[in-house]
Amino acid sequence: MKTNTKLTGHDLLALGYRQGKWMKDALTHINKNELEGDALNTYLAQFKSPDPIELHKTPIEFSINIKAENEEEKDNVDKVINSMQTLMKTPTLVDGAIMPDACPAGPDGTIPVGGVAVAKNAIHPGMHSADICCSVMLTDFGKAEPKDILDAAHAITHFGPGGRDRDSQFRFPKELLDAFESNFFLNDGNMLQIARSHLGTQGDGNHFLFVGTSKKTGNTMLVTHHGSRGPGARLYTKGMKIAERFRKELSPDTKKQNAWIPFETEEGQAYWDALQIIRDWTKTNHEVLHNSVAENLEIKIENRYWNEHNFVFKDGDLFYHAKGATPLDAKFMPDITGPRLIPLNMSEPVLIVEGNTTTTNLGFAPHGAGRNVSRTQHRKSKTGTTMQIFKEETRGLDIRFFSKEIDITELPSAYKNAKAVRQQMDEFNLGKVIDEVVPYGCIMAGDWQKNAPWKIRREKRRNSKKRN
């Protein structure tokens, strides 16, 4: 190719090279040295992209640990299976499974809630989602009064958007600060500021603070459920951007939500390390709340254990992406301290389980009861006032909403039948229940958006316009 005029990016694209950061420096070198012919081709060979990695022609087989109990559930299960079949064409995947609490989580081909996807040498940020390390922690407070525990926890915890102000922040451990500063995904001012202010916060949605008593011992137990809040969400966003860069280069036919970061790259190693640091932060986020209850009431902690159910677990060169699935296999949890926790809904016991790995459960159990319909569909299906619905579904329980606004999409009827989920756990060998935390009460965020500051400001503007 004769280069009588300067080469441009369009010329390189016409030659079959892909757009990339390399192009600017390459063009400068080519034009400065007036490369052409064999010399040009030899130089450009280093930038030749490998052939795209094709999708699997047929979906990789996956285990179905769920069955429909009625027509409503049949529609949900069909959607979940269809989405998994599309997902399992992703070229990195080698195995998968769905749990009894499975429900769709996005467009076709998105890993469902209650899904497990096993990839070889690849981390898929979209398969752990923004709520990295969503997890549950239990602390056994012996014979303490459940109401005392719930009251103390209510005074300490924080639900809803944002973080704590400076006066109410918990001490940020130095070892965590050092870890954040050592990782290029986590070492930026905004990330560190959010990590400090969000410590000791629980967010919204289905996250909760639950108090109950052990069926086996009668001891009072506190269970919290939340994830990595702002720090995890920020890491997810960064991870998706890196994964998308690799997707365009390696496998353009892969769906954007299933883009991956090759583990053996510098970015892959750093992202894996960042996930472990966010895991440590999230565990600390649970601990500061539980420890504060014990300190404020001056009571002894009898026992404690926890597990995540929204994370990526590594076994050799295989990466198990659990989007709402509880790890049973000890190899997935380096700091295992006891059995696993599976909450169902606010009126049902939190299950304490153990279990073995099988070829169909892949070492996982469900993470809860799941939903058959969306929040909007559930809301439309209810009749009566919000207070009537609330009283009917929470009779005998001390249920509190932090925002003081009831969220009926978090009441028991919003979730799948707990009895059916437990039956399917037995049927598909998804963990054995060894104890139950019988509910006394719980706290959730509630409908915090109802009186959100931005809504109040909007109403004031509307009323002002009407008066004028």
Side-chain angles (χ1 to χ4, degrees), residues 64-107:
I64 301 173
N65 302 298
I66 185 174
K67 66 180 184 181
E69 303 284 345
N70 53 50
E71 281 303 310
E72 185 179 70
E73 289 191 356
K74 185 178 185 305
D75 180 62
N76 174 73
V77 171
D78 286 346
K79 288 176 180 174
V80 166
I81 290 174
N82 289 339
S83 196
M84 275 294 287
Q85 286 175 333
T86 304
L87 173 83
M88 296 307 291
K89 290 184 178 180
T90 306
T92 57
L93 298 188
V94 297
D95 207 346
I98 48 177
M99 299 290 149
D101 55 339
C103 51

Side-chain angles (χ1 to χ4, degrees), residues 41-71:
N41 292 332
T42 300
Y43 174 74
L44 286 174
Q46 64 185 301
F47 304 112
K48 194 72 176 176
S49 298
D51 291 336
I53 302 171
E54 302 291 338
L55 299 177
H56 295 307
K57 287 186 169 58
T58 57
I60 297 295
E61 289 188 9
F62 59 95
S63 299
I64 301 173
N65 302 298
I66 185 174
K67 66 180 184 181
E69 303 284 345
N70 53 50
E71 281 303 310

Side-chain angles (χ1 to χ4, degrees), residues 217-230:
T217 66
N219 285 1
T220 296
M221 294 175 167
L222 167 65
V223 180
T224 50
H225 170 225
H226 52 79
S228 51
R229 306 285 288 115

Side-chain angles (χ1 to χ4, degrees), residues 109-325:
T110 302
I111 187 172
V113 174
V116 179
V118 187
K120 189 166 186 177
N121 278 323
I123 306 173
H124 296 256
M127 294 185 195
H128 62 56
S129 79
D131 197 10
I132 299 173
C133 201
C134 191
S135 46
V136 274
M137 178 174 283
L138 178 150
T139 295
D140 184 338
F141 286 113
K143 302 306 179 185
E145 286 296 322
K147 186 178 186 304
D148 292 344
I149 298 296
L150 192 63
D151 287 344
H154 198 164
I156 291 164
T157 192
H158 178 294
F159 281 91
R164 293 175 175 270
D165 58 40
R166 277 186 183 277
D167 294 335
S168 64
Q169 285 179 15
F170 288 96
R171 186 187 72 82
F172 198 81
K174 185 178 185 304
E175 59 271 22
L176 259 185
L177 177 62
D178 291 344
F180 270 73
E181 290 178 340
S182 71
N183 184 280
F184 74 77
F185 279 103
L186 304 177
N187 187 22
D188 71 64
N190 287 335
M191 176 73 86
L192 290 168
Q193 181 183 1
I194 291 171
R196 289 179 186 278
S197 66
H198 282 207
L199 192 65
T201 70
Q202 295 195 249
D204 57 7
N206 66 348
H207 299 146
F208 61 75
L209 187 152
F210 177 103
V211 174
T213 53
S214 163
K215 196 171 184 179
K216 184 181 287 186
T217 66
N219 285 1
T220 296
M221 294 175 167
L222 167 65
V223 180
T224 50
H225 170 225
H226 52 79
S228 51
R229 306 285 288 115
R234 288 180 67 86
L235 175 61
Y236 164 78
T237 299
K238 292 182 177 185
M240 285 299 288
K241 286 180 180 177
I242 297 290
E244 174 62 7
R245 193 186 80 205
F246 280 109
R247 186 193 71 84
K248 288 179 178 178
E249 178 73 15
L250 299 175
S251 185
D253 289 341
T254 290
K255 288 182 175 293
K256 286 187 176 183
Q257 66 264 36
N258 297 329
W260 73 86
I261 305 174
F263 175 64
E264 293 172 343
T265 62
E266 182 181 352
E267 296 92 335
Q269 301 282 320
Y271 191 72
W272 176 251
D273 290 342
L275 287 172
Q276 309 319 304
I277 296 166
I278 288 295
R279 183 181 186 273
D280 289 342
W281 182 94
T282 306
K283 188 177 182 183
T284 304
N285 192 27
H286 285 278
E287 288 172 340
V288 294
L289 294 173
H290 291 239
N291 291 346
S292 291
V293 170
E295 290 165 9
N296 285 13
L297 293 178
E298 297 182 338
I299 54 178
K300 181 183 175 183
I301 291 172
E302 300 283 340
N303 203 353
R304 173 176 291 164
Y305 33 89
W306 88 299
N307 63 264
E308 62 267 66
H309 52 223
N310 210 66
F311 202 59
V312 186
F313 304 91
K314 184 177 182 296
D315 181 27
D317 61 357
L318 298 180
F319 291 79
Y320 290 71
H321 299 75
K323 177 67 175 74

